[in-house]
Amino acid sequence: MATAGKVIKCKAAVAWEAGKPLSIEEVEVAPPQAMEVRVKILYTALCHTDVYFWEAKGQTPVFPRILGHEAGGIVESVGEGVTELVPGDHVLPVFTGECKDCAHCKSEESNLCDLLRINVDRGVMIGDGQSGFTINGKPIFHFVGTSTFSEYTVIHVGCLAKINPEAPLDKVCVLSCGISTGLGATLNVAKPKKGSTVAIFGLGAVGLAAMEGAKMSGASRIIGVDLNPAKYEQAKKFGCTDFVNPKDHTKPVLVEMTNGGVDRAVECTGHIDAMIAAFECVHDGWGVAVLVGVPHKEAVFKTSPMNLLNERTLKGTFFGNYKPRTDLPEVVEMYMRKELDLEKFITHSVPFSQINTAFDLMLKGEGLRCIMRMDE
């Protein structure tokens, strides 16, 4: 590439301060340093995590910043020491990484890489402590190692999954965060048996991906739990057979509805009451509850130890227990084999210049995923 080794000037959506609309600016993107890759982003989606850090109500505000982490792109150039990717490779950036060397990466059970696990407060690259983005020489902070709201971005090689170049990036880009998180929570962690009963708490994109996993596993009854009754209609497309709105009941009803409890529950809201309810509604003897949603940092999980002694299991998961580089290419292949339907998660699409429309849609709770097309 003629651009390799040089600074690239391109468009990016910059968050200058908390809660203010993003502004499309010309930014300078530095060439990749050792173990880094510069990626041309073709499609990026908006995930609730971007909105959360843009609002910056519950965490350290880091501004000005280029947000974005759910995307698909093509390698433009690679830094020193990068051997597994070459210019032209199709990649999905991931907010957590896989160095392949640490104890977690070498464990079959973990995907919590010591080197590259998510760090939401760091606005720079781990290699040289620089952000990789500037406007008129002033640094613009990076976000979770990805910063995909830019036509070009610099990412550590360990945070890029190399995928089948035949896969349409405007569809599989949603696998780089939310859909894999929910799907893996069910397929890799809850592991419902064929014919079982599964409850899904929270019917946003992650919850519906968990529900899709239950449907793919052959669950016979899938109960959606959400405070918004309008979510039921949409959830039916993902296999939802029953719907419970906790506001309609003064006491927990799932145990009664299911003759002693559900076989599996997956919690995707992050609200502590829902987490406790998800665990307490699973059947004794074999029930498993999986926590996916991230709670408020002061939250405390309280339940009677008897619930555990009566052979219920409580598990947590991060990014659906997928190792990004090792496992994501196979999830893409599930889509290519038509075992996994991604189209129904993509409810809106706008040109990148209209990124604030995507934020408005999410703030109103409309749709699931909005894809932004970088070339428009």
Side-chain angles (χ1 to χ4, degrees):
M1 295 287 247
T3 47
K6 298 177 185 153
V7 168
I8 288 180
K9 289 190 169 182
C10 70
K11 289 196 185 78
V14 177
W16 288 101
E17 53 184 302
K20 294 282 158 59
L22 304 191
S23 157
I24 303 287
E25 309 279 359
E26 183 179 77
V27 299
E28 299 105 28
V29 185
Q33 302 302 303
M35 302 312 285
E36 292 174 359
V37 177
R38 190 159 56 185
V39 177
K40 180 181 167 89
I41 299 293
L42 296 187
Y43 299 95
T44 186
L46 181 64
C47 167
H48 197 264
T49 308
D50 298 306
V51 176
Y52 185 72
F53 285 93
W54 165 72
E55 290 177 326
K57 289 175 184 167
Q59 65 289 319
T60 320
V62 181
F63 295 100
R65 198 173 207 184
I66 295 172
L67 296 165
H69 63 282
E70 192 169 284
I74 296 177
V75 173
E76 174 270 338
S77 61
V78 301
E80 187 192 328
V82 174
T83 54
E84 49 279 271
L85 290 173
V86 296
D89 281 344
H90 286 219
V91 289
L92 298 181
V94 186
F95 60 89
T96 186
E98 183 185 353
C99 73
K100 298 199 174 180
D101 290 325
C102 70
H104 282 279
C105 285
K106 286 179 172 166
S107 154
E108 284 178 19
E109 295 174 64
S110 174
N111 65 342
L112 301 173
C113 176
D114 277 332
L115 181 69
L116 299 169
R117 77 169 71 175
I118 189 168
N119 180 325
V120 294
D121 296 333
R122 186 173 58 222
V124 295
M125 303 303 288
I126 58 171
D128 60 3
Q130 302 295 312
S131 74
F133 296 110
T134 51
I135 293 182
N136 301 325
K138 294 202 171 104
I140 305 292
F141 292 113
H142 217 276
F143 177 62
V144 298
T146 54
S147 290
T148 62
F149 293 166
S150 176
E151 292 175 319
Y152 287 87
T153 185
V154 174
I155 299 173
H156 191 284
V157 65
C159 298
L160 289 166
K162 179 181 171 178
I163 62 160
N164 182 343
E166 301 291 307
L169 286 170
D170 60 333
K171 306 292 188 290
V172 297
C173 63
V174 297
L175 290 173
S176 89
C177 175
I179 308 310
S180 296
T181 296
L183 186 71
T186 304
L187 297 181
N188 299 335
V189 188
K191 297 179 179 168
K193 294 184 171 74
K194 199 170 186 261
S196 58
T197 298
V198 180
I200 308 288
F201 288 71
L203 303 181
V206 175
L208 292 174
M211 186 171 277
E212 185 72 5
K215 185 170 121 185
M216 288 163 70
S217 303
S220 60
R221 195 172 177 197
I222 301 175
I223 305 167
V225 182
D226 201 287
L227 296 170
N228 178 356
K231 298 271 181 82
Y232 183 30
E233 234 9 78
Q234 187 175 43
K236 286 178 185 172
K237 293 183 203 158
F238 298 83
C240 192
T241 57
D242 303 69
F243 180 80
V244 171
N245 181 348
K247 282 189 199 156
D248 297 343
H249 305 278
T250 48
K251 60 181 189 358
V253 287
L254 286 164
V255 173
E256 269 172 46
M257 275 174 68
T258 55
N259 197 14
V262 299
D263 302 309
R264 300 289 185 265
V266 184
E267 198 295 312
C268 302
T269 71
H271 290 291
I272 193 65
D273 296 342
M275 292 179 161
I276 295 166
F279 174 57
E280 293 183 348
C281 81
V282 301
H283 206 291
D284 57 3
W286 62 78
V288 179
V290 177
L291 305 185
V292 181
V294 179
H296 190 273
K297 56 181 185 291
E298 311 296 318
V300 177
F301 190 101
K302 289 182 179 167
T303 191
S304 162
M306 284 313 296
N307 289 327
L308 287 151
L309 292 170
N310 286 329
E311 297 167 17
R312 291 178 187 87
T313 301
L314 179 63
K315 290 183 168 188
T317 174
F318 173 71
F319 191 56
N321 279 35
Y322 287 119
K323 290 179 185 275
R325 294 157 86 184
T326 302
D327 299 331
L328 271 198
E330 175 50 29
V331 185
V332 169
E333 293 309 318
M334 285 164 64
Y335 168 77
M336 297 299 279
R337 295 191 298 262
K338 300 196 163 41
E339 294 162 22
L340 172 62
D341 176 5
L342 296 177
E343 278 80 358
K344 61 191 174 190
F345 288 99
I346 300 166
T347 50
H348 297 83
S349 173
V350 298
F352 180 54
S353 57
Q354 292 173 27
I355 186 166
N356 289 306
T357 305
F359 274 75
D360 293 341
L361 287 165
M362 187 159 276
L363 290 168
K364 285 184 200 147
E366 285 178 32
L368 295 172
R369 277 294 181 264
C370 179
I371 306 287
M372 290 163 272
R373 311 180 293 277
M374 302 305 282
D375 56 355
E376 290 182 46

